[in-house]
Short mmCIF file of all heavy atoms in Angstrom, two decimals:
data_model
loop_
_atom_site.label_atom_id
_atom_site.label_comp_id
_atom_site.label_asym_id
_atom_site.label_seq_id
_atom_site.Cartn_x
_atom_site.Cartn_y
_atom_site.Cartn_z
N GLU O 122 370.27 -91.62 116.26
CA GLU O 122 369.79 -92.31 117.43
C GLU O 122 368.74 -93.32 116.98
O GLU O 122 367.55 -93.16 117.11
CB GLU O 122 369.19 -91.35 118.43
CG GLU O 122 368.70 -91.94 119.73
CD GLU O 122 369.81 -92.37 120.66
OE1 GLU O 122 370.99 -92.48 120.29
OE2 GLU O 122 369.50 -92.59 121.84
N TYR O 123 369.21 -94.46 116.42
CA TYR O 123 368.28 -95.50 115.94
C TYR O 123 367.77 -96.30 117.16
O TYR O 123 368.41 -96.37 118.20
CB TYR O 123 368.94 -96.40 114.91
CG TYR O 123 370.23 -97.09 115.36
CD1 TYR O 123 370.18 -98.29 116.09
CD2 TYR O 123 371.49 -96.57 115.09
CE1 TYR O 123 371.32 -98.93 116.50
CE2 TYR O 123 372.64 -97.20 115.48
CZ TYR O 123 372.57 -98.38 116.22
OH TYR O 123 373.71 -99.02 116.60
N ARG O 124 366.63 -96.91 116.94
CA ARG O 124 366.01 -97.73 118.04
C ARG O 124 366.86 -99.04 118.24
O ARG O 124 367.45 -99.57 117.31
CB ARG O 124 364.59 -98.07 117.70
CG ARG O 124 363.64 -96.88 117.78
CD ARG O 124 362.27 -97.23 117.19
NE ARG O 124 362.37 -97.40 115.76
CZ ARG O 124 361.38 -97.89 114.97
NH1 ARG O 124 360.24 -98.33 115.56
NH2 ARG O 124 361.50 -98.00 113.66
N LEU O 125 366.86 -99.49 119.50
CA LEU O 125 367.66 -100.65 119.87
C LEU O 125 366.80 -101.92 120.05
O LEU O 125 365.63 -101.83 120.33
CB LEU O 125 368.42 -100.39 121.16
CG LEU O 125 369.37 -99.19 121.17
CD1 LEU O 125 369.97 -98.98 122.56
CD2 LEU O 125 370.46 -99.35 120.13
N ALA O 126 367.42 -103.04 119.80
CA ALA O 126 366.82 -104.36 120.04
C ALA O 126 366.97 -104.70 121.53
O ALA O 126 367.88 -104.22 122.17
CB ALA O 126 367.46 -105.40 119.15
N PRO O 127 366.13 -105.57 122.05
CA PRO O 127 365.05 -106.27 121.39
C PRO O 127 363.73 -105.51 121.39
O PRO O 127 362.75 -105.97 120.82
CB PRO O 127 364.87 -107.53 122.22
CG PRO O 127 365.23 -107.10 123.64
CD PRO O 127 366.34 -106.10 123.44
N ARG O 128 363.70 -104.31 121.98
CA ARG O 128 362.44 -103.54 121.95
C ARG O 128 362.03 -103.27 120.50
O ARG O 128 360.84 -103.31 120.19
CB ARG O 128 362.63 -102.22 122.70
CG ARG O 128 361.39 -101.32 122.70
CD ARG O 128 361.53 -100.14 123.62
NE ARG O 128 361.57 -100.61 125.02
CZ ARG O 128 361.67 -99.80 126.05
NH1 ARG O 128 361.77 -98.49 125.87
NH2 ARG O 128 361.66 -100.28 127.29
N THR O 129 362.97 -102.98 119.67
CA THR O 129 362.73 -102.80 118.25
C THR O 129 363.58 -103.80 117.43
O THR O 129 364.79 -103.75 117.51
CB THR O 129 363.05 -101.37 117.74
OG1 THR O 129 362.25 -100.44 118.54
CG2 THR O 129 362.74 -101.20 116.29
N ARG O 130 362.92 -104.66 116.71
CA ARG O 130 363.69 -105.65 115.92
C ARG O 130 363.84 -105.15 114.48
O ARG O 130 363.24 -104.16 114.07
CB ARG O 130 362.94 -106.98 115.95
CG ARG O 130 362.71 -107.56 117.38
CD ARG O 130 362.26 -109.02 117.28
NE ARG O 130 361.85 -109.56 118.58
CZ ARG O 130 362.70 -110.09 119.48
NH1 ARG O 130 363.99 -110.13 119.18
NH2 ARG O 130 362.26 -110.55 120.61
N TYR O 131 364.67 -105.93 113.73
CA TYR O 131 364.80 -105.65 112.31
C TYR O 131 363.44 -105.73 111.65
O TYR O 131 362.63 -106.60 111.96
CB TYR O 131 365.73 -106.70 111.67
CG TYR O 131 365.73 -106.65 110.17
CD1 TYR O 131 366.50 -105.73 109.51
CD2 TYR O 131 364.91 -107.49 109.41
CE1 TYR O 131 366.49 -105.65 108.11
CE2 TYR O 131 364.86 -107.43 108.06
CZ TYR O 131 365.64 -106.51 107.40
OH TYR O 131 365.61 -106.43 106.02
N PRO O 132 363.09 -104.78 110.75
CA PRO O 132 364.00 -103.78 110.12
C PRO O 132 363.95 -102.42 110.76
O PRO O 132 364.41 -101.45 110.17
CB PRO O 132 363.41 -103.73 108.71
CG PRO O 132 361.94 -103.90 108.90
CD PRO O 132 361.80 -104.88 110.00
N GLY O 133 363.38 -102.30 111.97
CA GLY O 133 363.20 -100.97 112.58
C GLY O 133 364.44 -100.16 112.66
O GLY O 133 364.43 -98.98 112.21
N PRO O 134 365.54 -100.62 113.24
CA PRO O 134 366.74 -99.79 113.34
C PRO O 134 367.28 -99.36 111.95
O PRO O 134 367.67 -98.18 111.79
CB PRO O 134 367.75 -100.66 114.03
CG PRO O 134 366.90 -101.64 114.82
CD PRO O 134 365.69 -101.90 113.97
N LEU O 135 367.25 -100.25 110.96
CA LEU O 135 367.71 -99.87 109.65
C LEU O 135 366.80 -98.85 108.99
O LEU O 135 367.28 -97.92 108.35
CB LEU O 135 367.83 -101.11 108.78
CG LEU O 135 368.34 -100.91 107.35
CD1 LEU O 135 369.73 -100.25 107.31
CD2 LEU O 135 368.32 -102.23 106.59
N GLU O 136 365.50 -99.01 109.18
CA GLU O 136 364.58 -98.05 108.62
C GLU O 136 364.75 -96.65 109.27
O GLU O 136 364.58 -95.62 108.58
CB GLU O 136 363.12 -98.53 108.77
CG GLU O 136 362.76 -99.75 107.95
CD GLU O 136 362.70 -99.44 106.47
OE1 GLU O 136 362.78 -98.27 106.05
OE2 GLU O 136 362.59 -100.41 105.65
N ASP O 137 365.13 -96.62 110.56
CA ASP O 137 365.41 -95.36 111.19
C ASP O 137 366.58 -94.69 110.50
O ASP O 137 366.56 -93.47 110.21
CB ASP O 137 365.78 -95.58 112.66
CG ASP O 137 364.60 -96.01 113.51
OD1 ASP O 137 363.46 -95.94 113.02
OD2 ASP O 137 364.85 -96.46 114.65
N CYS O 138 367.63 -95.46 110.20
CA CYS O 138 368.83 -94.93 109.56
C CYS O 138 368.52 -94.43 108.16
O CYS O 138 369.01 -93.38 107.73
CB CYS O 138 369.91 -95.98 109.55
SG CYS O 138 370.48 -96.51 111.17
N TYR O 139 367.68 -95.19 107.46
CA TYR O 139 367.31 -94.82 106.07
C TYR O 139 366.45 -93.55 106.08
O TYR O 139 366.67 -92.64 105.28
CB TYR O 139 366.56 -95.95 105.40
CG TYR O 139 366.30 -95.71 103.92
CD1 TYR O 139 367.37 -95.69 103.00
CD2 TYR O 139 365.01 -95.56 103.44
CE1 TYR O 139 367.13 -95.49 101.67
CE2 TYR O 139 364.77 -95.36 102.10
CZ TYR O 139 365.82 -95.32 101.20
OH TYR O 139 365.61 -95.10 99.86
N ALA O 140 365.52 -93.44 107.05
CA ALA O 140 364.67 -92.27 107.14
C ALA O 140 365.54 -90.99 107.42
O ALA O 140 365.35 -89.94 106.78
CB ALA O 140 363.65 -92.45 108.23
N GLY O 141 366.50 -91.16 108.32
CA GLY O 141 367.36 -90.00 108.61
C GLY O 141 368.20 -89.59 107.42
O GLY O 141 368.43 -88.40 107.20
N LEU O 142 368.67 -90.59 106.68
CA LEU O 142 369.49 -90.27 105.49
C LEU O 142 368.69 -89.57 104.44
O LEU O 142 369.16 -88.58 103.82
CB LEU O 142 370.10 -91.55 104.91
CG LEU O 142 371.01 -91.41 103.68
CD1 LEU O 142 372.26 -90.61 104.04
CD2 LEU O 142 371.33 -92.75 103.10
N LEU O 143 367.48 -90.01 104.20
CA LEU O 143 366.60 -89.38 103.22
C LEU O 143 366.34 -87.89 103.64
O LEU O 143 366.34 -86.98 102.81
CB LEU O 143 365.29 -90.12 103.08
CG LEU O 143 365.32 -91.46 102.37
CD1 LEU O 143 363.90 -92.03 102.28
CD2 LEU O 143 365.92 -91.35 100.97
N TRP O 144 366.07 -87.70 104.92
CA TRP O 144 365.77 -86.35 105.39
C TRP O 144 367.01 -85.47 105.26
O TRP O 144 366.91 -84.35 104.78
CB TRP O 144 365.33 -86.39 106.87
CG TRP O 144 364.82 -85.07 107.30
CD1 TRP O 144 363.53 -84.59 107.27
CD2 TRP O 144 365.59 -83.98 107.84
NE1 TRP O 144 363.48 -83.31 107.74
CE2 TRP O 144 364.73 -82.92 108.09
CE3 TRP O 144 366.95 -83.84 108.11
CZ2 TRP O 144 365.13 -81.69 108.62
CZ3 TRP O 144 367.40 -82.61 108.64
CH2 TRP O 144 366.52 -81.57 108.87
N ALA O 145 368.19 -85.99 105.66
CA ALA O 145 369.38 -85.18 105.62
C ALA O 145 369.73 -84.78 104.20
O ALA O 145 370.10 -83.60 103.92
CB ALA O 145 370.53 -85.96 106.25
#
Side-chain angles (χ1 to χ4, degrees):
E122 183 74 344
Y123 57 83
R124 289 170 290 169
L125 300 177
R128 178 172 293 181
T129 302
R130 300 192 190 275
Y131 169 82
L135 179 59
E136 292 290 352
D137 292 346
C138 298
Y139 188 67
L142 180 66
L143 289 182
W144 189 92

